[in-house]
Amino acid sequence: MSDSSPSPDHSDPLTYYREERQKMLAGGGEDQIEKQHSKGKSTARERIAALVDPDSFVEQQAYIQGRSPAFGLDRRRYYGDGVVSGTAKIAGRQVHLAVQDFTVLGGSLGEMHAVRIAEAQEAAMRTGTPFIQINDSGGARIQEGILSLQGYGRIFKNNTWASGVIPQISLIMGPCAGGAVYSPAITDFIFMVDNISQMYITGPDVIRAVTGEEVTHQQLGGTSPHSSQSGVAHFRYADESTCLQGLRQLLSYLPSNNREQPPLHESSDQIDRHTAEIMQILPSAEKRPYDVRNIIAVLCDQQSFMEIQAEYAPNVVIGFGRLAGRTIGFFANQTQFYAAALDINASDKGARFLRFCDAFNIPIITIVDVPGFLPGVAQEHGGIIRHGAKVLYAIAEATVPKVALIVRKSFGGAYISMSCKSLGYDRVLAYPFSQIAVMGAEGAANIIFRREIAAAQDSEALRNEKIAEYRQQAMNPYQAARLGYIDAIIDPGYTRIELIRSIEMNIRKREERAYKKHGNIPL
């Protein structure tokens, strides 16, 4: 309900308080609430109630109002100014929230709206608690002009300063357009909901006017393009309820800030459980694909793996799982796509995840079965050198425990990225049948022995002989182990045990680095 600021009757302060509190809780009023529900969307307060522990939400600055009189805003003032902010508990842990209220001026961001969000961000940083924002907004409040833009600037700065200090999570539960998209983009994780969420810089009308392209809101900025093409979204859900459940699940893996360890959960899964079924997952033919998520599921505490960006760059799999109750960040090659070769998108996906794990004290395990970086003109001209270097940088920079498991093969520059001890892996494990080399045996034999093969009477027979010779002499994991580059060659049935041991023996590691303001990652 709007407040045109008539002279209030203060003769009975408690009555006045109750009346004003009802106005504050009503947001934009019953008509606007009904419109919100008709779109399949909950209100800001309903979303908070569904997300946090019962009776734990404490609101801040609930009675704040916009102060601009421009273009009739003096007649459209609402308590809260279109956002609900404060602190609450999720599974008993403190968080700070800012939830936009689309029933008030379309959730548009004005000066005081921005103040509430920024104050919640700053409180989260002061207290070392995660910051969660739920975006549902028409964008900048045009009537307030530069005040809106200044508000965005403060929010973006806070997002940047909080990065790597506290987890920041964005839920897109409505439109998020124009400059508004950059706050979620700076945060660590973005959740989207099918048929409700939209994110774009310029909408369909502007695109139509400028380029002549016809596109719907969902085609342009819905969950499908951002989950599978742009990589903007980390999680997508069918409805708001499951989205909020997903957020609660994600938080269960994360520490509250970068000075804490992730929560240690009790697990009924045996630490010494054997993993012999890995041999049933791995095909007998060395080039035949398999689903690496099945291996991760076998290794983790039961039902504990949560995949991130499942639809984007599917040639790598990233996500959080638990080993003996401890949160682990998994970075794995997925042979079902591009034979698991690393490309531009997979490099970006992996590098950002690795850096998040390092920032928040989450040990890293790479599961390696990689033939190299993806070849091709499009990849080279698209900057695979620059993008691939991000993975190298992220691993070398990380100071958390880092363990690599070579399952079948690890070749070339991708070997360095995913399993090279000299890059900074604390422990490298390999299966007895794994292969490690600059490239595959066929290509290597063709280069090293090309003159002999060309001169031979039976060139194909000699070629096959040389391939076998190279495979035995140069690719055998025992060769790398003899040089100290493999710490242990293990039976697949003991993989879970070895990984838990490897993490536990490195969990207290400390590394001192040269002082610097920050590195210059090849963005």
Side-chain angles (χ1 to χ4, degrees):
M1 185 179 296
S2 65
D3 178 17
S4 55
S5 300
S7 297
D9 179 8
H10 292 281
S11 58
D12 184 351
L14 282 178
T15 299
Y16 180 73
Y17 158 75
R18 294 187 186 102
E19 291 174 350
E20 297 305 293
R21 179 172 172 76
Q22 283 303 115
K23 291 181 185 179
M24 179 267 289
L25 293 174
E30 288 301 321
D31 289 347
Q32 292 299 319
I33 291 173
E34 287 180 14
K35 288 182 180 178
Q36 183 82 342
H37 289 164
S38 70
K39 299 174 184 175
K41 297 162 62 178
S42 303
T43 67
R45 294 186 183 278
E46 289 168 344
R47 287 164 172 167
I48 292 172
L51 174 63
V52 306
D53 297 350
D55 301 318
S56 69
F57 180 60
V58 179
E59 190 165 358
Q60 297 280 77
Q61 300 175 306
Y63 293 94
I64 206 169
Q65 286 186 333
R67 60 181 177 175
S68 172
F71 303 103
L73 287 178
D74 55 337
R75 299 185 300 277
R76 303 179 67 197
R77 288 183 176 152
Y78 296 81
Y79 285 135
D81 202 37
V83 64
V84 182
S85 64
T87 185
K89 290 185 178 180
I90 296 179
R93 296 171 60 202
Q94 204 76 28
V95 300
H96 279 78
L97 307 98
V99 183
Q100 291 182 312
D101 184 355
F102 197 83
T103 72
V104 175
L105 302 174
S108 59
L109 185 137
E111 177 194 21
M112 304 311 287
H113 181 119
V115 165
R116 286 197 80 179
I117 296 175
E119 291 279 349
Q121 292 175 302
E122 291 157 14
M125 284 189 278
R126 286 194 302 271
T127 57
T129 53
F131 174 71
I132 299 166
Q133 61 180 1
I134 299 182
N135 295 70
D136 187 2
S137 169
R141 192 173 299 161
I142 300 171
Q143 298 95 321
E144 295 196 33
I146 196 171
L147 293 174
S148 297
L149 302 181
Q150 289 292 321
Y152 276 128
R154 181 178 174 186
I155 292 167
F156 300 165
K157 181 187 72 174
N158 285 343
N159 285 134
T160 304
W161 285 8
S163 182
V165 179
I166 55 173
Q168 299 181 86
I169 302 171
S170 299
L171 283 70
I172 312 301
M173 290 189 164
C176 183
V181 300
Y182 288 115
S183 176
I186 300 172
T187 62
D188 299 304
F189 299 102
I190 294 176
F191 287 66
M192 296 185 76
V193 180
D194 290 341
N195 303 315
I196 288 178
S197 305
Q198 302 162 20
M199 292 183 75
Y200 40 68
I201 300 290
T202 54
D205 293 340
V206 174
I207 289 177
R208 185 184 306 110
V210 175
T211 71
E213 296 171 284
E214 292 287 345
V215 64
T216 68
H217 291 276
Q218 285 298 319
Q219 289 170 339
L220 179 64
T223 54
S224 182
H226 285 316
S227 296
S228 60
Q229 294 172 257
S230 71
V232 167
H234 297 83
F235 302 95
R236 69 181 289 188
Y237 292 91
D239 54 52
E240 290 192 13
S241 176
T242 53
C243 181
L244 296 176
Q245 291 173 14
L247 170 59
R248 292 175 70 95
Q249 181 185 359
L250 175 65
L251 284 172
S252 73
Y253 295 94
L254 310 181
S256 292
N257 57 67
N258 63 355
R259 294 179 181 271
E260 296 182 4
Q261 293 296 317
L264 191 62
H265 288 248
E266 290 187 11
S267 174
S268 59
D269 202 347
Q270 294 180 335
I271 291 176
D272 60 352
R273 173 171 55 80
H274 283 205
T275 53
E277 58 265 52
I278 288 176
M279 289 306 297
Q280 277 71 56
I281 297 170
L282 290 173
S284 56
E286 65 180 44
K287 292 186 179 181
R288 184 178 170 188
Y290 60 93
D291 192 342
V292 74
R293 291 172 297 186
N294 293 332
I295 290 181
I296 296 173
V298 169
L299 298 175
C300 287
D301 297 351
Q302 293 179 1
Q303 306 298 316
S304 72
F305 182 62
M306 184 180 191
E307 188 172 0
I308 298 169
Q309 289 183 298
E311 298 177 63
Y312 178 69
N315 42 327
V316 294
V317 171
I318 60 172
F320 297 119
R322 294 191 180 97
L323 286 177
R326 187 183 300 280
T327 298
I328 303 293
F330 285 90
F331 176 33
N333 301 120
Q334 177 60 288
T335 60
Q336 292 182 326
F337 299 92
Y338 308 135
L342 295 178
D343 65 349
I344 288 170
N345 290 341
S347 298
D348 286 357
K349 173 179 171 178
R352 192 167 191 268
F353 176 71
L354 294 168
R355 299 190 87 206
F356 178 86
C357 291
D358 185 49
F360 291 101
N361 309 311
I362 298 172
I364 295 165
I365 291 177
T366 61
I367 299 180
V368 189
D369 188 351
V370 63
F373 283 92
L374 187 68
V377 174
Q379 287 291 308
E380 294 293 347
H381 290 180
I384 186 61
I385 295 171
R386 174 167 50 88
H387 291 270
K390 296 177 188 181
V391 183
L392 297 164
Y393 191 107
I395 284 292
E397 178 187 49
T399 60
V400 294
K402 297 170 289 189
V403 179
L405 169 66
I406 303 174
V407 174
R408 283 203 304 193
K409 60 185 173 297
S410 189
F411 294 163
Y415 156 79
I416 302 171
S417 298
M418 301 205 60
S419 55
C420 181
K421 198 165 178 64
S422 61
L423 189 68
Y425 283 93
D426 299 297
R427 191 159 165 80
V428 180
L429 311 175
Y431 288 159
F433 44 79
S434 62
Q435 300 176 347
I436 304 164
V438 174
M439 62 176 65
E442 292 84 353
N446 287 338
I447 293 172
I448 297 172
F449 305 110
R450 62 182 181 276
R451 291 179 181 171
E452 296 173 53
I453 293 172
Q457 289 185 344
D458 189 344
S459 59
E460 188 61 26
L462 182 60
R463 181 176 178 276
N464 291 333
E465 178 185 326
K466 294 300 183 183
I467 289 172
E469 178 184 338
Y470 183 83
R471 183 176 281 124
Q472 178 59 33
Q473 293 188 10
M475 302 176 71
N476 190 307
Y478 292 94
Q479 300 294 333
R482 291 184 186 109
L483 296 169
Y485 300 136
I486 298 292
D487 292 292
I489 297 172
I490 66 170
D491 182 329
Y494 291 87
T495 307
R496 174 176 162 86
I497 300 170
E498 290 291 346
L499 289 176
I500 291 173
R501 286 175 177 170
S502 298
I503 294 297
E504 292 299 326
M505 65 192 284
N506 287 288
I507 201 66
R508 293 177 179 83
K509 66 177 280 197
R510 295 290 183 270
E511 290 188 4
E512 296 296 328
R513 301 291 173 86
Y515 169 78
K516 57 183 175 180
K517 190 172 182 180
H518 58 73
N520 190 18
I521 187 170
L523 297 173

